[in-house]
């Protein structure tokens, strides 16, 4: 057996094992969403249970758990977060990439410094600020801060430096296009793969975010899915039902899978090109 063939077998073996590890958690989730609480307590089973419909009805008809409203709230927050983060990050990257101004390097360094600050550091001050603005128990504080997303900005700037020649912008200006028309009709189409990739990552991050919503949201009608999952898991032992927990998590991942399927063709291209510079 040649060395090349042996290397190919090793590579395929590792990839298959990694794929199995990645898919096993989804299979575990699907199996447990079809089983009752007592069956789940006994341990893992490779066979599907027969209580998928019962668990689904229990979750959807739980009076303390507004699942449909939670899905709508999570969709609003995640979609708005993805839209704001990608659009304004491209806009900021466009200004840094295209224009020459006095404090350009200082502005770039400041944005990079913000990227190093974890949300836990400014969470208390953010909550107090939202209280003063009367935005507590509102969805607005969950997506509005995404206007400033340093990580998304850095990815957009890297992609732009590789794929947006300044000559294209200059040509648009010579043809009489305004700056915003140049940005919206020329820059945005060129940036579509990068926007799609970051839209997916931002959407998933906002969809799974529990920390900030748990500090802001109070009423049941404004709760997002991660809060509802935590609420269901913290129920007392008389009401605790692992079947409902797994079913709720199963329902929570469906929109993410749909988003991945719709935008999957952009993922590899966008990540590969955006991760390098000329």
């Amino acid at each position: 057996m040649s060395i090349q063939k042996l290397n190919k077998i090793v590579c395929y073996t590792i990839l298959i094992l990694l794929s199995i590890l990645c898919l096993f958690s989804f299979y575990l989730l699907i199996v447990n969403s079809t089983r009752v609480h007592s069956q789940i307590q006994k341990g893992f089973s490779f066979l599907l249970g027969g209580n998928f419909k019962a668990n689904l009805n229990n979750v959807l008809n739980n009076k303390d758990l507004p699942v449909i409203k939670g899905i709508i709230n999570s969709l609003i927050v995640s979609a708005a977060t993805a839209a704001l983060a990608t659009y304004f990050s491209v806009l900021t990257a466009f200004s840094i990439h295209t224009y020459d101004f006095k404090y350009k390097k200082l502005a770039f360094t400041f944005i990079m410094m913000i990227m190093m600050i974890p949300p836990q550091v400014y969470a208390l001050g953010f909550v107090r600020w939202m209280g003063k603005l009367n935005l507590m128990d509102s969805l607005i504080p969950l997506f509005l801060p995404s206007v400033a997303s340093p990580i998304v900005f850095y990815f957009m700037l890297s992609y732009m430096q590789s794929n947006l020649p300044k000559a294209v912008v200059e040509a648009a200006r010579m043809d009489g296009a305004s700056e915003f028309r140049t940005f919206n009709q020329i820059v945005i189409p060129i940036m579509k793969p990068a926007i799609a990739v970051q839209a997916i990552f931002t959407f998933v991050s906002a969809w799974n975010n529990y920390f900030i919503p748990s500090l802001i949201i109070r009423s049941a009608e404004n709760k997002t899915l991660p809060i509802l999952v935590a609420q269901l898991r913290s129920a007392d032992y008389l009401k605790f039902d692992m079947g409902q927990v797994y079913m709720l998590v199963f329902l929570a991942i469906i929109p993410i899978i749909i988003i991945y399927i719709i935008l999957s063709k952009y993922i590899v291209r966008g990540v590969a090109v955006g991760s390098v510079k000329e």
Side-chain angles (χ1 to χ4, degrees):
M1 182 182 297
S2 65
I3 296 178
Q4 287 184 343
K5 193 172 182 179
L6 182 63
N7 288 337
K8 188 180 287 185
I9 292 173
V10 172
C11 290
Y12 277 112
T13 305
I14 294 174
L15 288 174
I16 290 171
L17 289 175
L18 289 175
S19 300
I20 292 173
L21 287 175
C22 292
L23 294 175
F24 180 76
S25 57
F26 288 100
Y27 183 72
L28 176 65
L29 172 64
I30 293 171
V31 169
N32 284 340
S33 67
T34 64
R35 305 169 74 199
V36 296
H37 180 72
S38 58
Q39 292 174 326
I40 297 172
Q41 282 186 314
K42 292 178 181 177
F44 174 71
S45 170
F46 282 98
L47 301 176
L48 295 173
N51 293 278
F52 181 87
K53 189 175 179 180
N55 287 336
L56 182 62
N57 288 331
N58 289 336
V59 169
L60 296 180
N61 296 323
N62 191 331
K63 295 180 180 178
D64 299 325
L65 210 67
V67 176
I68 303 299
K69 186 63 178 174
I71 292 175
I72 294 172
N73 291 337
S74 289
L75 281 174
I76 292 172
V77 171
S78 303
T81 300
L84 292 175
T86 52
Y87 184 82
F88 284 96
S89 294
V90 175
L91 190 63
T92 309
F94 178 67
S95 64
I96 295 290
H97 176 62
T98 307
Y99 300 112
D100 290 320
F101 50 94
K102 189 175 181 180
Y103 298 110
K104 181 176 177 177
K105 288 186 178 179
L106 179 63
F108 176 77
T109 305
F110 180 72
I111 295 172
M112 289 297 97
M113 288 174 63
I114 294 176
M115 190 169 68
M116 307 297 175
I117 303 174
Q120 290 81 359
V121 174
Y122 59 78
L124 183 58
F126 177 73
V127 171
R128 293 181 63 182
W129 188 30
M130 291 300 105
K132 290 179 181 178
L133 295 176
N134 293 322
L135 288 176
M136 290 297 290
D137 196 24
S138 168
L139 297 180
I140 295 175
L142 305 186
F143 61 78
L144 194 59
S146 63
V147 170
S149 302
I151 297 176
V152 181
F153 155 76
Y154 183 72
F155 183 88
M156 295 299 182
L157 182 61
S158 301
Y159 188 94
M160 198 173 285
Q161 288 170 341
S162 303
N163 295 274
L164 181 65
K166 292 183 180 178
V168 174
V169 180
E170 292 295 333
R173 288 171 180 167
M174 291 178 66
D175 288 340
S178 65
E179 294 299 303
F180 266 102
R181 186 177 179 185
T182 302
F183 176 75
N184 289 318
Q185 296 187 356
I186 295 177
V187 176
I188 290 291
I190 293 174
M191 297 293 294
K192 270 185 180 178
I195 291 173
V197 170
Q198 288 303 315
I200 292 171
F201 292 156
T202 311
F203 184 94
V204 174
S205 176
W207 185 269
N208 294 327
N209 187 13
Y210 170 75
F211 180 59
I212 296 297
S214 67
L215 299 175
I216 297 291
I217 301 301
R218 296 288 181 270
S219 62
E221 64 177 9
N222 287 330
K223 287 182 177 178
T224 55
L225 273 177
I227 298 178
L228 295 180
V229 173
Q231 177 183 327
L232 194 58
R233 291 194 63 185
S234 62
D236 60 68
Y237 71 95
L238 291 175
K239 298 181 180 178
F240 188 70
D241 184 355
M242 282 299 293
Q244 287 193 49
V245 174
Y246 278 104
M247 177 55 68
L248 186 55
V249 176
F250 175 74
L251 294 176
I253 67 170
I254 292 176
I256 296 176
I257 293 175
I258 294 173
I259 295 293
Y260 265 108
I261 292 173
I262 294 173
L263 301 178
S264 59
K265 64 179 180 181
Y266 294 110
I267 293 178
V268 175
R269 181 186 169 194
V271 171
V273 179
S275 61
V276 296
K277 296 181 181 179
E278 283 184 339

